[in-house]
Amino acid sequence: RTVEKQIRIKWVAKNNVEVPDTAVFVKEIIDLSGGADIIGDVGTNSSAPGSVKLSGGASISGTVFVGPSAGNDVIDKPNNMNVNFEIVKIPYIKIFDLPQFPAFPSNPIPENKKVYDNNNSHDVIYNGSLRINDWLADNYTLTMTKDLQFNEIYITSNNTLNIDIGSADRNIVVNHLNVPNGKINIIGTGKLTLYVTNNITMGAGSVINTTDDIENNRNSEATRLGLIKEQIKKVDIYYKGHSLEMSGSQKIYGSLYAQNANISLTGGSGFQGHIITGGGKIDISGGANALTQIFYAPNADVNISGGGTIIGNIISKNLTISGGGKITYDNVADDDIPPMFGGATGNVSSEDII
């Protein structure tokens, strides 16, 4: 039966990005199996038979929104599976466009620089590369009084790079953000935007933009989540590369707009921030977790398996969850939406009343 219900839609007027207040919204198919769990409402533009598939102990704790002309066969489930969710038809197909991807700035390349300790020296900045790959460069602080450009930022041997932006908003353009084993700390009250042209490489237990309060286990989970939400506001990453792979315990605390990249998060890794991508494939598996808040991938087939978890909401082309994967809806406050979505949100339109 059709039910009248109000859906609150967040609007980002500048780029006309529409983010529904659901845990999941897809263009086509939601396929849940093997103990998959969604806590929150879900929706699909599709009216085709089997657009929402459930099997093997899968569950949805919320309303299921389906296409305008959907019939009773829009839900595909075993005959012996009991479901308690309400099924509601949406009045029109929702369009999910990508926001405009920015042009990268042209910044000055810093001059070569050495660091010294007694008779030892290391070229920490050399031929346009920032090289934190020697014990002499560990805990090096890059003090930014202007925006900069590098060919490569390279961190190895579990070394730490501190980037001090002070109270200003600064940006760095880099061809390869290469952190096979290291840590980047952001110092200051401003915001850092990273424009990455070709590659993001993360290895071992590398972490970007965390704090001791987030990493230690002394805070409650609610307190820690609050700290993470504030920390991710300090870093935005725009990425032109074709893929992003993170595994192990690698983590980035910041928001990402990948122009066309496929994304793979495995083995306990996580991207703790908003994610936008124009890529066609997203894999989250093996205990990987993402406090994504908004995972906006309208062209992507998203696959969550092997205990992968997301806190936030997903907009995608298709969604498959298996092997204990889980999505928990988390409301995103208007002032938490980063500039890459286009700015502040607006009010509900009367057209969004179902």
Side-chain angles (χ1 to χ4, degrees), residues 244-247 261-267 269-270 275 277 280-286 288-290 295 297 300-306 308-310 314 318-320 322:
L244 174 61
E245 297 182 5
M246 296 174 62
S247 60
N262 296 331
I263 297 173
S264 175
L265 306 176
T266 64
S269 65
I275 296 175
T277 181
K281 186 177 182 181
I282 312 293
D283 289 314
I284 300 172
S285 64
N289 64 87
F295 204 138
D301 295 327
V302 176
N303 182 42
I304 302 174
S305 62
T309 63
I310 285 179
I314 291 180
N318 294 293
L319 173 68
T320 301
S322 62

Side-chain angles (χ1 to χ4, degrees), residues 122-167:
H122 173 69
D123 294 300
V124 68
I125 300 176
Y126 184 73
N127 283 349
S129 292
L130 179 55
R131 304 163 67 244
I132 314 300
N133 60 334
D134 187 276
W135 66 270
L136 286 168
D138 188 22
N139 274 313
Y140 175 77
T141 297
L142 177 70
T143 301
M144 295 188 63
T145 57
K146 59 184 177 182
D147 299 332
L148 296 172
Q149 185 158 329
F150 293 99
N151 179 55
E152 182 181 30
I153 296 175
Y154 182 45
I155 308 173
T156 65
S157 304
N158 201 29
N159 289 333
T160 295
L161 168 65
N162 303 304
I163 301 177
D164 189 347
I165 55 177
S167 59

Side-chain angles (χ1 to χ4, degrees), residues 172-300:
I172 294 174
V173 179
V174 60
N175 185 50
H176 187 185
L177 180 59
N178 189 6
V179 192
N181 185 9
K183 183 177 179 180
I184 298 177
N185 293 329
I186 311 302
I187 300 171
T189 58
K191 182 171 190 170
L192 178 64
T193 300
L194 295 171
Y195 296 96
V196 184
T197 307
N198 281 336
N199 294 294
I200 296 175
T201 302
M202 299 280 288
S206 297
V207 181
I208 296 176
N209 188 38
T210 189
T211 66
D212 289 341
D213 286 339
I214 289 173
E215 294 302 313
N216 67 42
N217 295 316
R218 293 191 294 269
N219 293 307
S220 68
E221 187 63 19
T223 298
R224 184 173 179 273
L225 289 177
L227 292 170
I228 290 173
K229 286 185 178 183
E230 287 303 310
Q231 191 68 16
I232 64 177
K233 295 177 183 179
K234 294 175 68 70
V235 173
D236 283 346
I237 300 173
Y238 292 92
Y239 182 43
K240 287 184 179 180
H242 296 297
S243 66
L244 174 61
E245 297 182 5
M246 296 174 62
S247 60
S249 56
Q250 303 149 23
K251 286 186 170 59
I252 297 176
Y253 294 86
S255 292
L256 170 74
Y257 188 169
Q259 187 175 26
N260 294 304
N262 296 331
I263 297 173
S264 175
L265 306 176
T266 64
S269 65
F271 209 110
Q272 313 298 306
H274 303 281
I275 296 175
I276 305 174
T277 181
K281 186 177 182 181
I282 312 293
D283 289 314
I284 300 172
S285 64
N289 64 87
L291 176 67
T292 55
Q293 300 190 65
I294 299 174
F295 204 138
Y296 192 83
N299 302 327

